[in-house]
Amino acid sequence: MEAPDASAPRPSDGGDATRPPTASRIASVEAIPVVTHTVDASDLDGSAETVLVRITDEAGRVGHGEADASGEVVQAFLEMADLHAWSLNPIDLLTGRDPFPIRAIYDALYEGTIYPGRRGLGIHALSAIDVALHDLVGKQLGRPVFELLGGRAREALTPYATIFPGLPNGRTLPEMLDAISALFDQALELGFRAVKMEVLFYDLVTDRELVDAIVEGRRRLGHEITMLVDFGYRWHDWRAAEATLARLEDQDIWLAEAPLQDDDIDGHRRLAEHVRGIRIGGAEIAATRFECREWVDRARVDVLQADISRAGGFTEMMRIADYAHAHGVLVVPHGWKSGITAAASTHFHAAHVACPLFEFLHPDLFPSPIRSEMTTDRPVIRDGVMEHPPGPGLGIEIDDDFVARHRQPRRGGGS
Ligand code: MG
């Protein structure tokens, strides 16, 4: 085999000869944990904090991304010292590069961090970079991200509202159902026509009572509304899950999310083989197309719910969605962070034919400063649909004062 030519340009380097006039190299990359301490850590909403990745080009244009993972740990990953060719500092890998060849950059980052990265947290960190690169290149070109992803796959964009009044924490089932019902009304008022009822009731209810609660939820919602149900990893026993879903077959449930433990791939397959009339969803925690492939090939779920700010950014999500689409599987992305992830999900939904719906955590339904103040844009939803997001890039504004106020100081001092 011929030895590689060390002087040959790396494929991700772009090349000056063909650079368009709008191109500008990456001047700086920052990972900024933003912490508000406003959401109860004993509950299940992770929006008390985020970690912003800010990529600035030589012309001063800025692209933003975030990761749905511990901010401090993502920051440490992105700032780690070079150790060897498979454990490199991601920020140094980016600085000075043309940001345009995004997929090649993603692959270089993946290979350059494969020892500590590969799945899980390292990929969550690369997700933030990948989204920030799309935002930046969109701004350089004056184009919305969904056009960088290939253009419109659909005219009407359909978000679904997640309805979660928090964990029971001492509340009774009727109190939980009333809280959910009030949020249903608010979601419909905001224009949603698709909602997800989170039934994270665990020991508060038997499986029979859970069926009654979901039937009651459907009754309060009415039958015109698309209804999804999130079970929050309730069962360790696919037979118990199957018996419950069988009792819900006539409720027109669009999706049963997270019925089993996330790593119970074979249990998901057995469940998916037995349930009639309700799609089975999973993989909201997954990172990379390789992990998602297991959910398609082995778990045989109907819907992948990977998150753009965790699975590997737009680059990896498009690969995941292409694989899913070729195997008759849908992708409905999870998205629980700030307006950055919300905007990213909107662009992805706009651009991929396998994504018929997307999760949109409206700040009015999930009040937290990270959601309502860090990005100020609130898309209008009418009769269940929203407009294509504006560009350039993600088409959102970040409130830099908010970020400065809530920037987490480093442990042990320094900035
Ligand atoms: Mg979920």
Side-chain angles (χ1 to χ4, degrees), residues 16-78:
D16 282 317
T18 55
R19 283 174 80 194
T22 50
S24 172
R25 288 183 181 273
I26 295 169
S28 67
V29 181
E30 286 176 281
I32 308 165
V34 178
V35 179
T36 64
H37 300 295
T38 51
V39 181
D40 185 354
S42 70
D43 213 305
L44 251 178
D45 179 0
S47 70
E49 66 154 61
T50 187
V51 52
L52 203 62
V53 165
R54 189 191 268 163
I55 303 183
T56 307
D57 73 5
E58 291 161 336
R61 286 170 292 228
V62 181
H64 289 99
E66 69 178 340
D68 190 349
S70 161
E72 281 183 306
V73 186
V74 168
Q75 182 186 38
F77 184 88
L78 294 179

Side-chain angles (χ1 to χ4, degrees), residues 160 162 196 198 200 229-233 257-258 284-285 305 310 334-336 359:
Y160 78 77
T162 293
K196 181 167 76 188
E198 299 267 338
L200 278 55
V229 178
D230 184 356
F231 292 95
Y233 311 106
E257 171 176 333
E284 67 180 357
I285 311 174
Q305 297 182 268
R310 204 152 51 195
H334 172 277
W336 272 52
E359 183 169 40

